[in-house]
Amino acid sequence: MCVDFTDLNTVCPKDSYMLPNIDTMVDRVSGCSLLSFMDAYSVYNKRRMHPEDKEKTTFMGIKSNLCYKVMPFGLKNAGATYQRMMDKILQSMLKRNVEAYVDDMVVTLTSNEGHAKDLQELFDTINKYQLKLNPEKCAFRVKTGKFVCFMLIERGIEANPEKCAAIINMRSLSSMKEVQQLTGRIVAKVVKSGDKGRPCFQCL
């Protein structure tokens, strides 16, 4: 079910809590010989709404008006709120043997020894706060995996095949209009696109 919180988000003050810097997190993870990737299950619904704010999430049901007891998807500050919660829960582990970005977690290790102990520490911690993991999105003791849309490997990061598929599978351009459309997308989406788009502009 989806509720449109556009009006609520418009008047709701912005939570300025900062999300972790992805580049810094990836740098800390790179070089690890073993990684375990985990994804939390129904993450937002684990955070209870403040009693005074429940009525602000009210929506119309078939026979009555209803509201959320837990944080629903679609709220402007949901990501920042959840990140704050995870930072508090994993405070003793973050930057030591765990990295967490909202609902994505990775346990890091530079050697084979102690990885099971680090995993047990994480499991005990999240179990204490009644968080659940999605087994379909978990991978344990691997050398490579996806974390916040990056493919992490022992040497650092590599291109994510899922993100590259659209370019790899793109057919060759056959008209000036198609080249113009591609250059327009490059300018709109790619930072510092001048050099990257030069061949296309020269083709025009």
Side-chain angles (χ1 to χ4, degrees):
M1 187 179 67
C2 181
V3 179
D4 184 3
F5 292 118
T6 301
D7 292 339
L8 177 60
N9 287 335
T10 300
V11 298
C12 182
K14 174 67 175 174
D15 185 350
S16 58
Y17 191 82
M18 291 182 61
L19 296 178
N21 184 288
I22 295 177
D23 292 337
T24 303
M25 295 175 70
V26 170
D27 287 341
R28 283 198 295 261
V29 172
S30 63
C32 295
S33 57
L34 282 178
L35 300 166
S36 289
F37 299 89
M38 280 149 284
D39 184 84
Y41 180 75
S42 296
V43 290
Y44 292 170
N45 299 146
K46 301 300 181 184
R47 185 73 173 171
R48 292 188 179 277
M49 293 290 294
H50 191 281
E52 295 180 3
D53 292 330
K54 289 180 182 179
E55 64 178 22
K56 297 172 185 174
T57 66
T58 300
F59 59 95
M60 293 174 58
I62 297 176
K63 295 183 179 180
S64 62
N65 292 333
L66 306 171
C67 67
Y68 278 91
K69 295 181 179 180
V70 295
M71 186 169 63
F73 288 91
L75 293 182
K76 179 168 65 176
N77 294 320
T81 301
Y82 190 82
Q83 183 67 51
R84 181 186 286 107
M85 182 184 76
M86 293 301 290
D87 287 348
K88 289 182 178 179
I89 291 174
L90 303 175
Q91 184 177 9
S92 64
M93 303 182 70
L94 289 176
K95 301 179 183 178
R96 176 169 59 87
N97 55 5
V98 171
E99 298 293 339
Y101 190 90
V102 190
D103 60 338
D104 287 329
M105 294 171 283
V106 58
V107 176
T108 61
L109 192 69
T110 54
S111 65
N112 290 335
E113 301 175 1
H115 195 63
K117 184 178 179 180
D118 291 337
L119 284 172
Q120 188 63 56
E121 182 182 3
L122 177 64
F123 293 155
D124 291 342
T125 301
I126 62 178
N127 187 55
K128 177 182 176 181
Y129 293 94
Q130 300 180 344
L131 298 181
K132 306 295 182 184
L133 298 176
N134 183 350
E136 295 181 358
K137 295 184 179 181
C138 294
F140 300 97
R141 295 177 60 84
V142 296
K143 293 184 178 294
T144 182
K146 187 169 67 172
F147 180 64
V148 198
C149 298
F150 287 93
M151 288 300 296
L152 301 183
I153 58 176
E154 188 173 352
R155 299 188 308 275
I157 62 173
E158 64 180 13
N160 187 340
E162 294 178 6
K163 301 295 183 181
C164 299
I167 300 297
I168 294 173
N169 298 328
M170 187 175 68
R171 64 179 179 81
S172 298
L173 305 180
S174 59
S175 69
M176 181 175 288
K177 183 176 180 180
E178 290 180 349
V179 176
Q180 290 171 332
Q181 290 173 338
L182 178 60
T183 54
R185 293 193 190 105
I186 292 174
V187 171
K189 298 291 184 181
V190 181
V191 178
K192 298 179 181 178
S193 60
D195 292 337
K196 297 181 186 301
R198 190 188 304 266
C200 294
F201 289 115
Q202 290 175 336
C203 180
L204 286 174

